[in-house]
């Protein structure tokens, strides 16, 4: 966990976060409170928007913790020790003490994270749908919808067949089960990760001229994927 800020334990597993979590949470809260929410739900006070923005930004990292806890709990069920969970700028990581021993174990450990994110997304979008569409209830529903959609995107993105994403581990497990060699699965998942990462870098560079800043994020994430896969 290194220089992580310790947050305590959950189900006996150490939880920590990098200082980058505070930075991105502050940025998300500012964008939501100063721009998104006042446009989507006009007529409320700045305090209302900031309370909703800060709550949604912190809840986003809580949902990342749910994702990583899924990995950690299934890994522990498979007999693999978990040294801790670290949250940081681009997500989180469950630090396993050893590699899965079978393709099935690797598949189950990998796929449960995106499933947990998808479950969070469906629950939050459903909550947004049933909340009243007036006043602070409307603001709460808008925040829940934002967080739900983010979780659904996170689930889908993580299933891309590219290391070091969860989908890369799923791909590696499937190739391992067919070839009988764990190294073969890892190699092909890494190659796919390099290809996907470089494609995202190209996409990000192409969109850098837009005003929404999405191109920069795509470039950063793509570079992270490509370098880790390499």
């Amino acid at each position: 966990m290194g220089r992580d800020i310790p947050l305590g334990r959950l189900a006996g597993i150490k939880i920590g976060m990098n200082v980058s979590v505070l930075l991105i949470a502050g940025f998300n809260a500012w964008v939501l409170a100063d721009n998104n929410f006042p446009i989507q739900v006009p007529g409320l006070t700045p305090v209302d928007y900031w309370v909703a923005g800060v709550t949604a930004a912190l809840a986003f990292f809580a949902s990342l913790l749910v994702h990583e806890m899924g990995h950690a709990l299934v890994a522990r069920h498979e007999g693999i020790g978990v040294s801790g969970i670290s949250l940081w700028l681009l997500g989180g990581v469950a630090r396993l003490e050893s590699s899965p021993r079978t393709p099935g174990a690797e598949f189950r450990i990998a796929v449960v994270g995106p499933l947990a994110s998808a479950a969070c997304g469906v629950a939050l979008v459903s909550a947004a749908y049933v909340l009243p569409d007036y006043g602070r209830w409307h603001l709460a529903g808008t925040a829940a919808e934002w967080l739900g959609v983010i979780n659904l995107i996170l689930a889908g993105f993580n299933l891309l067949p590219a290391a070091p994403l969860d989908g890369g581990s799923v791909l590696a497990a499937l190739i391992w089960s067919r070839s009988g060699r764990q190294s073969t699965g890892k190699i092909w998942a890494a190659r796919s990760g390099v290809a996907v990462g470089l494609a995202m870098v190209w996409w990000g560079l192409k969109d850098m001229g837009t005003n929404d800043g999405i191109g920069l994020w795509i470039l950063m994430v793509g570079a992270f994927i490509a370098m880790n896969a390499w």
Side-chain angles (χ1 to χ4, degrees):
M1 305 275 283
R3 299 177 182 176
D4 283 353
I5 301 170
L7 299 178
R9 290 177 178 269
L10 185 60
I13 299 170
K14 291 182 189 177
I15 310 296
M17 71 174 183
N18 188 275
V19 68
S20 61
V21 169
L22 299 177
L23 297 176
I24 194 62
F27 176 77
N28 284 337
W30 172 67
V31 171
L32 292 171
D34 195 57
N35 183 66
N36 294 25
F37 290 163
I39 293 174
Q40 295 171 308
V41 190
L44 299 179
T45 68
V47 173
D48 291 326
Y49 297 131
W50 274 101
V51 169
V54 171
T55 301
L58 294 178
F60 169 66
F61 283 97
S63 67
L64 292 180
L65 180 57
V66 171
H67 178 111
E68 297 303 330
M69 280 297 297
H71 292 311
L73 293 176
V74 173
R76 198 161 65 178
H77 180 75
E78 297 288 346
I80 300 172
V82 181
S83 60
I85 290 174
S86 177
L87 301 177
W88 64 297
L89 177 64
L90 296 178
V93 60
R95 304 187 186 280
L96 308 186
E97 295 177 353
S98 61
S99 298
R101 300 180 182 89
T102 66
E106 180 162 25
F107 178 87
R108 288 187 290 273
I109 293 169
V111 79
V112 70
L115 289 178
S117 293
C120 287
V122 170
L124 287 162
V125 170
S126 299
Y129 180 77
V130 300
L131 285 173
D133 60 352
Y134 56 84
R136 292 188 178 95
W137 285 114
H138 188 193
L139 180 59
T142 301
E145 182 181 17
W146 173 82
L147 189 57
V149 170
I150 289 291
N151 271 276
L152 291 173
I153 292 173
L154 179 66
F157 175 73
N158 263 284
L159 283 175
L160 288 176
L165 301 177
D166 295 331
S169 296
V170 170
L171 175 64
L174 295 174
I175 294 175
W176 179 10
S177 68
R178 297 296 297 270
S179 68
R181 298 181 62 185
Q182 185 179 24
S183 59
T184 301
K186 295 292 186 186
I187 289 170
W188 279 103
R191 288 172 176 169
S192 179
V194 172
V196 169
L198 291 178
M200 290 182 67
V201 168
W202 176 80
W203 182 10
L205 288 171
K206 182 181 169 185
D207 288 356
M208 282 287 283
T210 62
N211 295 323
D212 55 16
I214 294 177
L216 177 60
W217 279 105
I218 294 173
L219 188 152
M220 289 174 57
V221 174
F224 170 80
I225 291 172
M227 287 188 293
N228 277 270
W230 184 268

